[in-house]
Amino acid sequence: MTKPRIVVLVSGGGTNLQAIIDAQQTGEIDADIVAVVSNKRQAYGLTRAENANIPTLYFPLLPYKKAGKSREQYDADLAAKVAEYEPDLIVLAGWMHILSPSFLTPFRNQVINLHPALPGAFDGINAIERTFAAYQAGEVTHGGCMVHIAIPEVDAGPVIIQEEIPIHTDDTLETFATRLHAVEHRLIVTAVKKMLAQL
């Protein structure tokens, strides 16, 4: 029996990708990571993939912008590229690009996204910084992170798993972020396992 196939999309350092790779190598995740895709050439996530002998694809948006092509055209072409890997699950692990229906529709309920805030709390970019600033302003007492099914609305979609993360009185942004990232690494693995169990 062939194992489920996972494609991971990254834009940066790839620490959450590394958590998935580590879990796959220990057998905690019983699947094959068949490709890692990045829209940034310098993304260290690509290096992590190469170190684990996982095929990589660099697929930038800039040439589309220069050619006057739409974001939807980019997303459609990206979907076609990803489809070649025949994925059962697509994981957005620090993918800094809002995907339109041109990408999401062909992979309905197969794309999951990690977001470092709780549902409806701090959608969009810089969620960790915005959470901490809100704490300092007395507006929130905690942060959190979640993994959800990706839909066209940013950081919305059915939640697979979420966890509150307390903010301590002696926290700096750095200490809070470090603690949050550790939870992210755990939740992304749990979410992948939950999704694979439904296949």
Side-chain angles (χ1 to χ4, degrees), residues 96-126:
M96 303 306 289
H97 170 99
I98 298 167
L99 292 167
S100 69
S102 298
F103 182 92
L104 295 172
T105 300
F107 302 113
R108 185 172 176 80
N109 295 327
Q110 288 178 277
V111 184
I112 65 174
N113 179 55
L114 174 71
H115 183 62
L118 293 171
F122 296 93
D123 299 341
I125 62 171
N126 301 323

mmCIF file of all heavy atoms in Angstrom, residues 96-126:
data_model
loop_
_atom_site.group_PDB
_atom_site.id
_atom_site.type_symbol
_atom_site.label_atom_id
_atom_site.label_comp_id
_atom_site.label_asym_id
_atom_site.label_seq_id
_atom_site.Cartn_x
_atom_site.Cartn_y
_atom_site.Cartn_z
ATOM 1 N N MET A 96 3.928 32.700 2.722
ATOM 2 C CA MET A 96 3.493 34.093 2.833
ATOM 3 C C MET A 96 2.897 34.582 1.512
ATOM 4 O O MET A 96 3.452 35.436 0.819
ATOM 5 C CB MET A 96 4.667 34.984 3.265
ATOM 6 C CG MET A 96 5.311 34.540 4.571
ATOM 7 S SD MET A 96 4.130 34.393 5.920
ATOM 8 C CE MET A 96 3.757 36.112 6.206
ATOM 9 N N HIS A 97 1.779 33.996 1.159
ATOM 10 C CA HIS A 97 1.111 34.363 -0.091
ATOM 11 C C HIS A 97 -0.325 33.882 0.037
ATOM 12 O O HIS A 97 -0.570 32.706 0.302
ATOM 13 C CB HIS A 97 1.827 33.674 -1.259
ATOM 14 C CG HIS A 97 1.113 33.761 -2.567
ATOM 15 N ND1 HIS A 97 1.439 34.688 -3.533
ATOM 16 C CD2 HIS A 97 0.088 33.044 -3.079
ATOM 17 C CE1 HIS A 97 0.638 34.511 -4.581
ATOM 18 N NE2 HIS A 97 -0.181 33.521 -4.326
ATOM 19 N N ILE A 98 -1.266 34.805 -0.098
ATOM 20 C CA ILE A 98 -2.675 34.443 0.024
ATOM 21 C C ILE A 98 -3.097 33.712 -1.245
ATOM 22 O O ILE A 98 -2.981 34.244 -2.345
ATOM 23 C CB ILE A 98 -3.537 35.699 0.246
ATOM 24 C CG1 ILE A 98 -3.135 36.385 1.553
ATOM 25 C CG2 ILE A 98 -5.018 35.329 0.270
ATOM 26 C CD1 ILE A 98 -3.689 37.782 1.704
ATOM 27 N N LEU A 99 -3.589 32.502 -1.071
ATOM 28 C CA LEU A 99 -3.964 31.684 -2.225
ATOM 29 C C LEU A 99 -5.425 31.926 -2.600
ATOM 30 O O LEU A 99 -6.308 31.922 -1.739
ATOM 31 C CB LEU A 99 -3.734 30.207 -1.913
ATOM 32 C CG LEU A 99 -2.263 29.801 -1.768
ATOM 33 C CD1 LEU A 99 -2.149 28.416 -1.160
ATOM 34 C CD2 LEU A 99 -1.545 29.860 -3.110
ATOM 35 N N SER A 100 -5.654 32.124 -3.873
ATOM 36 C CA SER A 100 -7.004 32.386 -4.381
ATOM 37 C C SER A 100 -7.692 31.054 -4.706
ATOM 38 O O SER A 100 -7.071 29.982 -4.670
ATOM 39 C CB SER A 100 -6.900 33.232 -5.645
ATOM 40 O OG SER A 100 -6.328 32.464 -6.704
ATOM 41 N N PRO A 101 -8.984 31.120 -5.058
ATOM 42 C CA PRO A 101 -9.672 29.897 -5.467
ATOM 43 C C PRO A 101 -9.003 29.195 -6.651
ATOM 44 O O PRO A 101 -9.188 27.981 -6.824
ATOM 45 C CB PRO A 101 -11.077 30.393 -5.842
ATOM 46 C CG PRO A 101 -11.288 31.595 -4.969
ATOM 47 C CD PRO A 101 -9.932 32.258 -4.907
ATOM 48 N N SER A 102 -8.232 29.937 -7.450
ATOM 49 C CA SER A 102 -7.534 29.313 -8.585
ATOM 50 C C SER A 102 -6.615 28.186 -8.113
ATOM 51 O O SER A 102 -6.392 27.208 -8.828
ATOM 52 C CB SER A 102 -6.710 30.354 -9.343
ATOM 53 O OG SER A 102 -7.536 31.346 -9.886
ATOM 54 N N PHE A 103 -6.077 28.322 -6.890
ATOM 55 C CA PHE A 103 -5.261 27.248 -6.322
ATOM 56 C C PHE A 103 -6.103 26.321 -5.448
ATOM 57 O O PHE A 103 -5.972 25.094 -5.518
ATOM 58 C CB PHE A 103 -4.114 27.830 -5.483
ATOM 59 C CG PHE A 103 -3.201 26.767 -4.911
ATOM 60 C CD1 PHE A 103 -2.065 26.368 -5.597
ATOM 61 C CD2 PHE A 103 -3.490 26.157 -3.698
ATOM 62 C CE1 PHE A 103 -1.241 25.374 -5.094
ATOM 63 C CE2 PHE A 103 -2.663 25.163 -3.180
ATOM 64 C CZ PHE A 103 -1.532 24.777 -3.884
ATOM 65 N N LEU A 104 -6.940 26.901 -4.605
ATOM 66 C CA LEU A 104 -7.617 26.115 -3.576
ATOM 67 C C LEU A 104 -8.709 25.200 -4.122
ATOM 68 O O LEU A 104 -8.905 24.092 -3.616
ATOM 69 C CB LEU A 104 -8.212 27.051 -2.523
ATOM 70 C CG LEU A 104 -7.181 27.845 -1.703
ATOM 71 C CD1 LEU A 104 -7.881 28.881 -0.831
ATOM 72 C CD2 LEU A 104 -6.335 26.916 -0.848
ATOM 73 N N THR A 105 -9.407 25.644 -5.171
ATOM 74 C CA THR A 105 -10.530 24.847 -5.678
ATOM 75 C C THR A 105 -10.109 23.455 -6.164
ATOM 76 O O THR A 105 -10.785 22.460 -5.851
ATOM 77 C CB THR A 105 -11.269 25.610 -6.796
ATOM 78 O OG1 THR A 105 -11.758 26.843 -6.253
ATOM 79 C CG2 THR A 105 -12.435 24.801 -7.335
ATOM 80 N N PRO A 106 -8.992 23.320 -6.892
ATOM 81 C CA PRO A 106 -8.598 21.967 -7.328
ATOM 82 C C PRO A 106 -8.215 21.043 -6.173
ATOM 83 O O PRO A 106 -8.220 19.820 -6.337
ATOM 84 C CB PRO A 106 -7.380 22.218 -8.227
ATOM 85 C CG PRO A 106 -7.458 23.652 -8.607
ATOM 86 C CD PRO A 106 -8.119 24.354 -7.474
ATOM 87 N N PHE A 107 -7.899 21.631 -5.019
ATOM 88 C CA PHE A 107 -7.460 20.827 -3.872
ATOM 89 C C PHE A 107 -8.418 21.028 -2.690
ATOM 90 O O PHE A 107 -8.001 21.224 -1.556
ATOM 91 C CB PHE A 107 -6.040 21.221 -3.458
ATOM 92 C CG PHE A 107 -5.016 21.075 -4.535
ATOM 93 C CD1 PHE A 107 -4.393 22.188 -5.081
ATOM 94 C CD2 PHE A 107 -4.665 19.823 -5.016
ATOM 95 C CE1 PHE A 107 -3.434 22.066 -6.065
ATOM 96 C CE2 PHE A 107 -3.708 19.684 -6.012
ATOM 97 C CZ PHE A 107 -3.100 20.807 -6.541
ATOM 98 N N ARG A 108 -9.676 20.974 -2.967
ATOM 99 C CA ARG A 108 -10.692 21.257 -1.947
ATOM 100 C C ARG A 108 -10.491 20.387 -0.701
ATOM 101 O O ARG A 108 -10.384 19.165 -0.784
ATOM 102 C CB ARG A 108 -12.077 21.026 -2.535
ATOM 103 C CG ARG A 108 -13.215 21.410 -1.612
ATOM 104 C CD ARG A 108 -14.544 21.329 -2.361
ATOM 105 N NE ARG A 108 -15.669 21.603 -1.467
ATOM 106 C CZ ARG A 108 -16.047 22.814 -1.103
ATOM 107 N NH1 ARG A 108 -15.398 23.873 -1.554
ATOM 108 N NH2 ARG A 108 -17.074 22.998 -0.308
ATOM 109 N N ASN A 109 -10.403 21.043 0.451
ATOM 110 C CA ASN A 109 -10.243 20.390 1.763
ATOM 111 C C ASN A 109 -8.944 19.586 1.885
ATOM 112 O O ASN A 109 -8.816 18.748 2.779
ATOM 113 C CB ASN A 109 -11.440 19.487 2.089
ATOM 114 C CG ASN A 109 -12.721 20.285 2.256
ATOM 115 O OD1 ASN A 109 -12.697 21.423 2.724
ATOM 116 N ND2 ASN A 109 -13.835 19.699 1.857
ATOM 117 N N GLN A 110 -7.992 19.865 0.992
ATOM 118 C CA GLN A 110 -6.694 19.177 1.064
ATOM 119 C C GLN A 110 -5.572 20.107 1.508
ATOM 120 O O GLN A 110 -4.444 19.654 1.692
ATOM 121 C CB GLN A 110 -6.314 18.617 -0.312
ATOM 122 C CG GLN A 110 -7.101 17.422 -0.778
ATOM 123 C CD GLN A 110 -6.642 17.018 -2.174
ATOM 124 O OE1 GLN A 110 -7.076 17.580 -3.183
ATOM 125 N NE2 GLN A 110 -5.754 16.052 -2.236
ATOM 126 N N VAL A 111 -5.878 21.403 1.644
ATOM 127 C CA VAL A 111 -4.847 22.388 1.964
ATOM 128 C C VAL A 111 -5.043 22.858 3.398
ATOM 129 O O VAL A 111 -6.124 23.333 3.765
ATOM 130 C CB VAL A 111 -4.909 23.601 1.013
ATOM 131 C CG1 VAL A 111 -3.748 24.560 1.302
ATOM 132 C CG2 VAL A 111 -4.894 23.150 -0.443
ATOM 133 N N ILE A 112 -3.990 22.728 4.216
ATOM 134 C CA ILE A 112 -4.092 23.202 5.600
ATOM 135 C C ILE A 112 -3.047 24.295 5.828
ATOM 136 O O ILE A 112 -1.988 24.311 5.203
ATOM 137 C CB ILE A 112 -3.939 22.062 6.627
ATOM 138 C CG1 ILE A 112 -2.538 21.438 6.600
ATOM 139 C CG2 ILE A 112 -5.015 20.995 6.385
ATOM 140 C CD1 ILE A 112 -2.309 20.396 7.710
ATOM 141 N N ASN A 113 -3.392 25.211 6.726
ATOM 142 C CA ASN A 113 -2.544 26.377 6.980
ATOM 143 C C ASN A 113 -2.288 26.524 8.472
ATOM 144 O O ASN A 113 -3.194 26.362 9.288
ATOM 145 C CB ASN A 113 -3.234 27.643 6.450
ATOM 146 C CG ASN A 113 -2.406 28.893 6.712
ATOM 147 O OD1 ASN A 113 -1.242 28.963 6.330
ATOM 148 N ND2 ASN A 113 -2.993 29.881 7.368
ATOM 149 N N LEU A 114 -1.060 26.851 8.801
ATOM 150 C CA LEU A 114 -0.672 27.141 10.180
ATOM 151 C C LEU A 114 -0.689 28.654 10.367
ATOM 152 O O LEU A 114 -0.126 29.395 9.558
ATOM 153 C CB LEU A 114 0.738 26.601 10.428
ATOM 154 C CG LEU A 114 1.377 26.935 11.773
ATOM 155 C CD1 LEU A 114 0.706 26.158 12.886
ATOM 156 C CD2 LEU A 114 2.863 26.605 11.738
ATOM 157 N N HIS A 115 -1.340 29.108 11.440
ATOM 158 C CA HIS A 115 -1.393 30.551 11.711
ATOM 159 C C HIS A 115 -1.122 30.802 13.198
ATOM 160 O O HIS A 115 -1.744 30.160 14.049
ATOM 161 C CB HIS A 115 -2.760 31.122 11.324
ATOM 162 C CG HIS A 115 -2.847 32.600 11.517
ATOM 163 N ND1 HIS A 115 -2.034 33.483 10.835
ATOM 164 C CD2 HIS A 115 -3.625 33.353 12.330
ATOM 165 C CE1 HIS A 115 -2.326 34.720 11.227
ATOM 166 N NE2 HIS A 115 -3.281 34.668 12.124
ATOM 167 N N PRO A 116 -0.205 31.739 13.503
ATOM 168 C CA PRO A 116 0.187 31.950 14.906
ATOM 169 C C PRO A 116 -0.752 32.884 15.674
ATOM 170 O O PRO A 116 -0.332 33.853 16.293
ATOM 171 C CB PRO A 116 1.587 32.550 14.768
ATOM 172 C CG PRO A 116 1.544 33.307 13.491
ATOM 173 C CD PRO A 116 0.649 32.509 12.586
ATOM 174 N N ALA A 117 -2.039 32.573 15.618
ATOM 175 C CA ALA A 117 -3.041 33.280 16.411
ATOM 176 C C ALA A 117 -4.271 32.382 16.486
ATOM 177 O O ALA A 117 -4.385 31.395 15.749
ATOM 178 C CB ALA A 117 -3.394 34.627 15.785
ATOM 179 N N LEU A 118 -5.185 32.730 17.371
ATOM 180 C CA LEU A 118 -6.407 31.954 17.525
ATOM 181 C C LEU A 118 -7.427 32.379 16.469
ATOM 182 O O LEU A 118 -7.317 33.460 15.884
ATOM 183 C CB LEU A 118 -6.971 32.157 18.936
ATOM 184 C CG LEU A 118 -6.088 31.574 20.054
ATOM 185 C CD1 LEU A 118 -6.607 32.002 21.410
ATOM 186 C CD2 LEU A 118 -6.013 30.052 19.959
ATOM 187 N N PRO A 119 -8.439 31.538 16.216
ATOM 188 C CA PRO A 119 -9.422 31.859 15.183
ATOM 189 C C PRO A 119 -10.053 33.236 15.392
ATOM 190 O O PRO A 119 -10.517 33.568 16.486
ATOM 191 C CB PRO A 119 -10.468 30.747 15.346
ATOM 192 C CG PRO A 119 -9.705 29.604 15.932
ATOM 193 C CD PRO A 119 -8.687 30.222 16.831
ATOM 194 N N GLY A 120 -10.044 34.044 14.343
ATOM 195 C CA GLY A 120 -10.669 35.350 14.383
ATOM 196 C C GLY A 120 -9.943 36.402 15.192
ATOM 197 O O GLY A 120 -10.439 37.521 15.363
ATOM 198 N N ALA A 121 -8.756 36.077 15.694
ATOM 199 C CA ALA A 121 -8.058 37.012 16.573
ATOM 200 C C ALA A 121 -7.165 37.976 15.793
ATOM 201 O O ALA A 121 -7.449 39.141 15.695
ATOM 202 C CB ALA A 121 -7.241 36.244 17.614
ATOM 203 N N PHE A 122 -6.104 37.496 15.217
ATOM 204 C CA PHE A 122 -5.169 38.367 14.508
ATOM 205 C C PHE A 122 -4.865 37.754 13.148
ATOM 206 O O PHE A 122 -3.817 37.153 12.937
ATOM 207 C CB PHE A 122 -3.885 38.568 15.333
ATOM 208 C CG PHE A 122 -4.113 39.286 16.631
ATOM 209 C CD1 PHE A 122 -4.338 38.575 17.802
ATOM 210 C CD2 PHE A 122 -4.130 40.671 16.674
ATOM 211 C CE1 PHE A 122 -4.576 39.229 18.994
ATOM 212 C CE2 PHE A 122 -4.355 41.342 17.870
ATOM 213 C CZ PHE A 122 -4.590 40.627 19.034
ATOM 214 N N ASP A 123 -5.840 37.893 12.247
ATOM 215 C CA ASP A 123 -5.673 37.350 10.897
ATOM 216 C C ASP A 123 -4.613 38.153 10.152
ATOM 217 O O ASP A 123 -4.391 39.325 10.423
ATOM 218 C CB ASP A 123 -6.995 37.417 10.130
ATOM 219 C CG ASP A 123 -8.097 36.609 10.807
ATOM 220 O OD1 ASP A 123 -7.766 35.730 11.622
ATOM 221 O OD2 ASP A 123 -9.281 36.871 10.528
ATOM 222 N N GLY A 124 -3.967 37.487 9.190
ATOM 223 C CA GLY A 124 -3.003 38.191 8.356
ATOM 224 C C GLY A 124 -1.591 38.158 8.926
ATOM 225 O O GLY A 124 -1.262 37.346 9.790
ATOM 226 N N ILE A 125 -0.770 39.098 8.434
ATOM 227 C CA ILE A 125 0.657 39.059 8.748
ATOM 228 C C ILE A 125 0.956 39.645 10.124
ATOM 229 O O ILE A 125 0.131 40.337 10.714
ATOM 230 C CB ILE A 125 1.476 39.801 7.665
ATOM 231 C CG1 ILE A 125 1.087 41.287 7.614
ATOM 232 C CG2 ILE A 125 1.298 39.142 6.310
ATOM 233 C CD1 ILE A 125 2.005 42.119 6.732
ATOM 234 N N ASN A 126 2.153 39.326 10.608
ATOM 235 C CA ASN A 126 2.665 39.870 11.878
ATOM 236 C C ASN A 126 1.747 39.576 13.055
ATOM 237 O O ASN A 126 1.616 40.381 13.983
ATOM 238 C CB ASN A 126 2.901 41.380 11.769
ATOM 239 C CG ASN A 126 3.893 41.743 10.682
ATOM 240 O OD1 ASN A 126 4.863 41.021 10.460
ATOM 241 N ND2 ASN A 126 3.648 42.838 9.969
#
